[in-house]
Amino acid sequence: MITFSGSSLGGPGASLPALDERARDIFRRIVETYLQTGDPVGSRTLSLTGVSLSPASIRNTMQDLTLAGLLASPHTSAGRIPTHAGLRLFVDGLLEIGDISREERREIDARLVGRGRSFEEALDEASTLLSGLAGGASIVASPVRDAGVKHVEFVALGHDQALAVLVADDGTVENRLMPLKAGVTPATLQEASNFLNARLKGRPLHEARSEMRVELDAARRELDATAARLVEDGLAAWSGGAERERALIVRGRANLLQDREAVEDLERVRVLFDDLEQKEQLIGLLDGVSSAQGVRIFIGAETRLFSLSGSAVIAAPYMTGRQRVLGAIGVIGPARLNYARVIPLVDYTARVLGRMLDGQDT
């Protein structure tokens, strides 16, 4: 079952209990039509959807909804579109969430649950996949990795390349390809592995990194020079979850230009593209999602970062089988997102990503 939450935008009369059955029905029809077409919705359009009211009665109700802050008129004689407050009210109380198709589930499973995929590759694949299916830009941040180190190892892949493997206590694995100088023996690789295992086991890497460099300087006379270089390169390669080294992956910016509203309002898109370059703020947004349960939805000014572009964000945490939150993944697009479709896509992708990173079968 999908659960989602978000903050409400207030407004005079902007609540479902304040709407009678007629107003609620007309409001729902306007929002659904607008989300489908992107056009302002007028009384004539509504009368064609089966509303058993006169055009005058429809217009009066639309005016009441406008005064309540739920609808707005982009032009003097045009129809109405939902405000961000109206979209929030619709999402919270009237939205009927569907489910993704069996084909989409198979595609997500097949592309994410691949063996031998590194942590970063899984995040990148999930972001690329979600942006393609949802039709917006997707964002995912690598989590703060505070688990202790369980095991490290250098594995030769040939005469000039090795794989540096770090396994954390929480089961996550980091793999890094490293160049090897000629003449490196299996004994040298084992010496470097033993040195790190003896000093890192049980300690978070980002906390031990600076101390390890001091220890390495003191131990150079004991270590083979090549092994010391391997240790140093391994420490530099593994991210260890330091906040300043967290990766932010953004995919699908081009999808934001395909919306018709983007062509009509290129300034809004420019602002949105600028927002997508704010790495620290985007990571902060996703960290906020990670602390909540279920899918989070932000519309317009509900998130400070996207208030000027009037965009919407749908995001969900991904977690291990033991319900330990690793991070969050989301979709960004215009406020006229297809919420009924994107919400289950984000939710399912986050759950499969969490299981994949946790080493579980779907």
Side-chain angles (χ1 to χ4, degrees):
M1 179 179 179
I2 300 174
T3 60
F4 61 92
S5 60
S7 58
S8 296
L9 286 176
S15 64
L16 276 178
L19 302 182
D20 60 25
E21 185 176 349
R22 172 194 293 183
R24 188 177 305 191
D25 180 57
I26 289 178
F27 174 68
R28 178 183 57 79
R29 291 173 185 266
I30 289 175
V31 177
E32 289 177 347
T33 303
Y34 170 73
L35 293 179
Q36 182 178 4
T37 67
D39 295 323
V41 182
S43 57
R44 181 176 178 82
T45 300
L46 281 178
S47 65
L48 297 176
T49 65
V51 178
S52 57
L53 295 171
S54 67
S57 296
I58 294 175
R59 285 193 294 270
N60 288 337
T61 303
M62 291 172 66
Q63 181 63 22
D64 291 340
L65 292 169
T66 302
L67 293 174
L70 300 177
L71 300 180
S73 178
H75 304 291
T76 304
S77 59
R80 300 293 197 275
I81 63 173
T83 62
H84 290 166
L87 286 172
R88 166 54 64 190
L89 182 67
F90 174 81
V91 167
D92 285 348
L94 297 174
L95 178 66
E96 295 182 4
I97 302 175
D99 198 2
I100 61 176
S101 67
R102 184 177 303 175
E103 290 74 20
E104 288 170 332
R105 287 176 182 267
R106 280 201 293 261
E107 180 178 0
I108 294 171
D109 292 343
R111 289 178 59 177
L112 290 189
V113 192
R115 299 306 177 193
R117 193 188 299 278
S118 73
F119 191 83
E120 285 73 18
E121 287 173 336
L123 296 180
D124 186 81
E125 183 66 23
S127 184
T128 301
L129 173 64
L130 190 56
S131 68
L133 291 174
S138 65
I139 53 173
V140 59
S142 61
V144 175
R145 305 275 294 285
D146 56 1
V149 174
K150 183 177 182 180
H151 180 73
V152 295
E153 186 171 358
F154 296 99
V155 181
L157 298 180
H159 67 281
D160 62 350
Q161 197 174 56
L163 185 67
V165 183
L166 183 148
V167 182
D169 287 334
D170 62 1
T172 55
V173 179
E174 280 198 42
N175 299 318
R176 291 288 189 277
L177 289 174
M178 296 172 51
L180 284 183
K181 290 187 176 181
V184 175
T185 65
T188 302
L189 295 172
Q190 189 62 54
E191 183 181 7
S193 300
N194 291 342
F195 180 87
L196 285 171
N197 278 311
R199 290 161 176 80
L200 288 180
K201 192 168 184 178
R203 302 171 66 187
L205 180 61
H206 69 277
E207 293 180 3
R209 192 193 303 272
S210 59
E211 298 175 20
M212 278 294 304
R213 290 201 173 100
V214 174
E215 293 181 36
L216 179 59
D217 289 337
R220 284 187 185 276
R221 284 175 292 184
E222 303 174 18
L223 277 173
D224 177 84
T226 305
R229 180 59 186 269
L230 279 171
V231 169
E232 193 170 25
D233 290 347
L235 288 173
W238 291 312
S239 71
E243 182 74 21
R244 65 181 179 276
E245 296 175 346
R246 293 176 66 193
L248 177 73
I249 302 170
V250 182
R251 294 288 182 267
R253 288 181 178 88
N255 292 334
L256 302 173
L257 295 172
Q258 297 176 5
D259 183 71
R260 186 175 59 186
E261 291 181 357
V263 178
E264 299 173 353
D265 191 356
L266 291 178
E267 176 61 21
R268 179 187 65 80
V269 177
R270 184 194 66 77
V271 172
L272 176 54
F273 274 42
D274 288 344
D275 292 340
L276 291 174
E277 297 299 322
Q278 306 303 310
K279 176 181 176 180
E280 291 185 5
Q281 293 188 57
L282 283 169
I283 289 177
L285 174 65
L286 291 177
D287 284 349
V289 171
S290 298
S291 64
Q293 293 292 324
V295 180
R296 292 291 304 277
I297 301 168
F298 305 92
I299 302 173
E302 291 178 352
T303 169
R304 185 176 180 182
L305 180 59
F306 296 110
S307 59
L308 293 179
S309 65
S311 304
V313 181
I314 299 174
Y318 57 91
M319 61 190 70
T320 69
R322 296 179 295 277
Q323 300 301 298
R324 178 179 179 271
V325 173
L326 297 173
I329 186 170
V331 170
I332 299 170
R336 193 178 68 83
L337 273 173
N338 186 341
Y339 296 93
R341 169 172 167 75
V342 176
I343 288 172
L345 276 173
V346 170
D347 178 71
Y348 188 75
T349 302
R351 286 190 281 120
V352 174
L353 178 62
R355 291 199 295 267
M356 183 267 163
L357 296 178
D358 197 31
Q360 299 180 10
D361 293 327
T362 53

